Amino acid sequence: MHMTDRGLLALARHEGVVPGPYLDSTGTWTFGIGHTAAAGPPDPATMPRGMPADIDLAIREAFRLFRADLARFEADVLRAVTVPLAPHEFDALVSFHYNTGGIARAALTRNLNAGNRVAAADAFLNWRKPASIIPRREAERDLFRHGRYPTGTIPVWGVDAQGRVDFSRPIRRLTGDEALELLRPAKPAIPATPDPPTSWHARLVDFLSTLIRRT
């Protein structure tokens, strides 16, 4: 089971895109769409600080890492949850786990596995620190309970050399279509097919034909 396109966009909207390494609310070096060293290389703490010279390239790299990181979080949710899930429920749980890493120990998972979806939905709000995360928890709860996906563009934020993100105004906004295009794996280039070698017989026929035309 994988996140739906709408779920991917909702998660990207929650996270936003920062095309340079930054310090998140816990002081962890992060890059792109919530990528940290815990998810695997590259380690954002070792990346060049500040805004990159090529922002477009950095945004593409952010989405590449996001796509790669998601596989582990999706697998974690599938291991932790023992009951069937609707696509919107799965999307909400992966979003929660991507942010908290707590799917295996969360009360919402215990309630869900016990068959109590109402209590599971309410338990999203057990994870409400820092206070700035509460709107996201509420959105994840509503997605889980009602299938209500958030809408809007995906902000791209600037960051300084100290890892401080400027949330006053996004430097760019990505549409859903732009984000989905970035999330699709790059198509491998198809090498040009060389012309087949000409046989000696064909070359001889061509040579004789040329002589005949000249006479």
Side-chain angles (χ1 to χ4, degrees):
M1 190 172 193
H2 299 286
M3 293 190 83
T4 66
D5 284 353
R6 294 173 75 191
L8 290 169
L9 293 177
L11 177 49
R13 288 185 186 104
H14 286 315
E15 294 286 336
V17 183
V18 183
Y22 65 97
L23 290 167
D24 70 4
S25 59
T26 67
T28 302
W29 281 104
T30 309
F31 169 77
I33 309 175
H35 172 80
T36 66
D43 181 353
T46 66
M47 297 174 71
R49 303 289 168 82
M51 291 295 288
D54 190 334
I55 294 177
D56 289 335
L57 181 62
I59 290 173
R60 285 195 294 273
E61 175 65 2
F63 275 88
R64 185 192 70 80
L65 289 172
F66 179 52
R67 187 175 63 245
D69 291 348
L70 272 175
R72 179 172 69 85
F73 291 95
E74 290 173 331
D76 288 347
V77 170
L78 292 174
R79 275 193 298 270
V81 176
T82 59
V83 296
L85 292 169
H88 67 271
E89 292 175 329
F90 183 71
D91 288 346
L93 292 171
V94 175
S95 177
F96 167 83
H97 183 48
Y98 194 86
N99 179 241
T100 67
I103 194 69
R105 63 184 188 277
L108 69 86
T109 308
R110 293 194 297 274
N111 289 325
L112 180 58
N113 288 339
N116 192 340
R117 277 174 157 76
V118 173
D122 291 339
F124 273 87
L125 288 177
N126 291 352
W127 299 69
R128 52 192 301 131
K129 293 181 180 180
S132 59
I133 206 67
I134 293 176
R136 174 170 178 168
R137 288 291 95 81
E138 291 173 337
E140 290 166 344
R141 176 201 61 195
D142 292 346
L143 174 56
F144 180 86
R145 179 177 284 163
H146 303 298
R148 187 181 302 145
Y149 286 87
T151 59
T153 55
I154 297 169
V156 180
W157 305 104
V159 62
D160 66 18
Q162 285 71 49
R164 295 175 299 207
V165 180
D166 180 6
F167 290 115
S168 63
R169 184 178 182 181
I171 61 172
R172 188 178 300 179
R173 288 188 177 276
L174 301 175
T175 66
D177 288 342
E178 288 172 329
L180 289 175
E181 185 63 31
L182 288 165
L183 282 167
R184 294 187 182 102
K187 296 179 181 178
I190 300 175
T193 304
D195 293 332
T198 305
S199 68
W200 69 269
H201 181 266
R203 290 197 299 271
L204 178 59
V205 170
D206 184 61
F207 174 71
L208 293 175
S209 298
T210 302
L211 288 178
I212 292 170
R213 285 196 299 270
R214 290 177 179 176
T215 59

